Amino acid sequence: MGTLVSVIDEQGPVVELRLNHPEKKNAVTLELLDELVELGEALADRDDLRAVILTGEGGDFSAGMDTGVLMQMAGKLDQVKAQMLAPPEGRTANRFQRPAQVWMDLPVPVIAAIEGVCFGAGLQIALAADFRIAAPEARLSIMEAKWGLIPDMGISLSLPRLMPVDRAKALIMTGQVLSGEAALAEGLVTRVAADPLAAARTLAGELAAKSPDAVRAAKVLADALWAGETEADLALEARLQAGLLGAPNQIETVMAQMQKRKPDYR
């Protein structure tokens, strides 16, 4: 196990996981995503577990995908697209979707405590939680449009449960940055609190005090009532993203961002 996700586990009913890349505002790397999956799958086997809290070190949840990863992916597009379009055997989610889906699959409630920035891949991880508690001044964005892409980390499963399609389209297409208060109004977060981590710990304590059987059953019931077609939705997400990656207008979007100029689309 690496150190990009720190674990606070006192063998009690609640485990805290912190994205631990503060020098880059917890920007997401492939290694960090793999650690999240490994941790989530290990926690699924814990009979004593009652709740999980996801947060970030250093005052930010996550600035989104590390730009270095985007550059690496640009150099091996065929391999990346193959990973997107062919999930591992027995899985519905590919390598990029699984770090979010693992929290949806976890049988206990997951609470994301959001401070500072929560952009792109970071927000998609937070959206996979059952509850999101944000600081009023936090900044949240489905930011993939900035890079000529779409969100593709299981947002096809999480976002339809939270907001109407017209509001979702606006956020996906524009990459608008919202404050915690504005995100609450849009439905992206569950509540706002001056100290999101303290509020998350309080909620986790309340959940841990309830019947674990009832809490787990409640998560299964609610997810079933709001569920889409998981396999088909994730496959569509992957196909659309693979079609965008490396296409002329996507490359032009990235270059314009890097060169701080207006893009010239064809």
Side-chain angles (χ1 to χ4, degrees):
M1 183 68 64
T3 58
L4 291 173
V5 183
S6 57
V7 183
I8 301 175
D9 181 4
E10 298 177 353
Q11 298 304 309
V14 179
V15 171
E16 293 184 16
L17 303 181
R18 296 182 181 178
L19 306 186
N20 188 22
H21 199 197
E23 65 277 11
K24 286 199 171 184
K25 296 184 182 294
N26 300 317
V28 173
T29 64
L30 297 181
E31 293 76 17
L32 187 149
L33 294 179
D34 291 342
E35 280 190 38
L36 280 175
V37 172
E38 185 176 351
L39 287 165
E41 291 178 346
L43 289 172
D45 296 327
R46 285 267 301 268
D47 291 336
D48 62 320
L49 191 66
R50 299 291 181 266
V52 171
I53 295 173
L54 298 176
T55 190
E57 290 283 4
D60 290 290
F61 190 86
S62 173
M65 191 66 75
D66 191 309
T67 53
V69 175
L70 295 176
M71 296 300 101
Q72 292 172 20
M73 291 169 61
K76 48 183 179 180
L77 281 179
D78 289 343
Q79 180 181 341
V80 172
K81 291 183 180 183
Q83 287 185 332
M84 284 183 173
L85 297 173
E89 186 174 354
R91 298 283 193 196
T92 57
N94 63 35
R95 183 185 184 186
F96 308 96
Q97 296 164 334
R98 183 63 182 158
Q101 190 196 42
V102 71
W103 307 113
M104 301 179 198
D105 290 348
L106 200 70
V108 302
V110 180
I111 308 162
I114 301 170
E115 294 182 291
V117 297
C118 185
F119 294 158
L123 180 55
Q124 292 182 72
I125 292 168
L127 288 173
D130 300 282
F131 309 100
R132 282 154 302 286
I133 303 176
E137 68 279 5
R139 293 184 292 147
L140 302 90
S141 174
I142 303 172
M143 195 168 271
E144 283 74 12
K146 176 179 179 179
W147 305 106
L149 298 170
I150 57 169
D152 68 332
M153 289 176 57
I155 204 168
S156 57
L157 306 183
S158 59
L159 205 59
R161 304 176 183 181
L162 301 177
M163 64 195 318
V165 65
D166 56 338
R167 293 188 176 193
K169 285 178 182 177
L171 295 180
I172 291 171
M173 293 177 183
T174 66
Q176 178 184 0
V177 178
L178 303 173
S179 67
E181 294 281 5
L184 177 64
E186 291 285 1
L188 281 180
V189 302
T190 312
R191 65 182 68 157
V192 295
D195 187 338
L197 183 55
R201 288 170 175 165
T202 298
L203 176 57
E206 293 173 1
L207 294 169
K210 300 293 190 293
S211 163
D213 299 337
V215 170
R216 289 179 180 227
K219 178 165 178 172
V220 171
L221 174 63
D223 286 347
L225 292 175
W226 272 266
E229 297 294 331
T230 299
E231 186 171 359
D233 290 346
L234 290 176
L236 174 62
E237 188 180 279
R239 286 198 305 272
L240 292 172
Q241 188 76 304
L244 292 172
L245 268 175
N249 278 341
Q250 195 262 322
I251 294 173
E252 171 61 13
T253 304
V254 173
M255 296 305 298
Q257 284 290 336
M258 296 294 192
Q259 297 169 7
K260 301 186 184 304
R261 59 173 174 80
K262 184 177 179 180
D264 180 18
Y265 293 123
R266 303 296 181 184

